[in-house]
Amino acid sequence: MSELTKEVKFMLRAIQLSIENVESGKGGPFAAVIVKNGEIISTGVNEVTSNNDPTAHAEVVAIRKACEKLNTHQLEGCEIYCSCEPCPMCLGAIYWARPSKIYYANTKEDAAAIGFDDHFIYTEMAMPVQKRKLPTFQLLRDEALEAFEKWGKSTIKIKY
């Protein structure tokens, strides 16, 4: 089987899961498939409304399952197939998980056209903290630095 055929097969699986999720009424039209060495390691669908969890996006659900299955906090050597271009939160999670590749089907513009518009998040992230719409205040930095200082000196930490 050619690489393109494998890629198409895994993307079709993500798309099918996204359709099934809509039909089930359990969440939004999003799904993700994580693959390692040509084998599906995990899948995830949007579970935001069914679990009352705003972080339960398909990519995050799939990453959590894959990391648990592989007993690791990073997904090096894995590929993630997303039924839609990842939102800012998911893209951040994907970068932290460190897969080797991301593939996506629908675009963020396609998502915006059906009410999933993340443009405001991208805009807010680029703003200085003081100018963001969500009031944000820094408190007790000096006290909080203790944890960072201890991390810097720790001999038992696992770097990531």
Side-chain angles (χ1 to χ4, degrees):
M1 184 181 296
S2 73
E3 280 302 309
L4 181 61
T5 303
K6 288 179 184 178
E7 293 164 359
V8 168
K9 178 180 101 171
F10 296 132
M11 184 58 76
L12 285 172
R13 181 66 181 135
I15 292 167
Q16 183 58 41
L17 288 168
S18 70
I19 293 167
E20 290 171 4
N21 205 46
V22 172
E23 292 173 346
S24 75
K26 294 182 180 177
F30 306 100
V33 171
I34 297 180
V35 174
K36 185 167 188 170
N37 299 324
E39 178 185 335
I40 293 177
I41 300 301
S42 72
T43 64
V45 295
N46 179 282
E47 299 175 359
V48 170
T49 56
S50 59
N51 286 338
N52 295 319
D53 179 353
T55 68
H57 289 203
E59 297 89 340
V60 173
V61 171
I63 288 168
R64 289 174 179 162
K65 289 179 182 178
C67 287
E68 184 175 349
K69 182 174 182 175
L70 297 173
N71 194 32
T72 183
H73 61 279
Q74 295 183 339
L75 298 176
E76 293 169 348
C78 293
E79 300 171 348
I80 184 164
Y81 294 80
C82 309
S83 65
C84 185
E85 186 175 357
C87 75
M89 176 185 71
C90 293
L91 188 58
I94 290 167
Y95 269 93
W96 279 114
R98 295 179 174 87
S100 60
K101 293 180 184 173
I102 305 170
Y103 298 92
Y104 67 92
N106 292 316
T107 66
K108 60 185 174 188
E109 292 80 16
D110 296 329
I114 62 164
F116 294 93
D117 190 352
D118 298 323
H119 180 73
F120 76 97
I121 297 174
Y122 288 107
T123 302
E124 285 287 295
M125 289 172 65
M127 300 281 284
V129 173
Q130 306 82 352
K131 293 188 177 188
R132 294 181 185 163
K133 288 182 175 56
L134 181 62
T136 305
F137 308 94
Q138 183 178 23
L139 293 173
L140 302 176
R141 177 177 181 262
D142 291 340
E143 290 80 357
L145 282 173
E146 180 180 349
F148 282 18
E149 290 165 0
K150 287 183 181 286
W151 174 261
K153 295 175 184 173
S154 175
T155 59
I156 60 171
K157 65 185 170 199
I158 299 172
K159 292 183 181 182
Y160 57 98

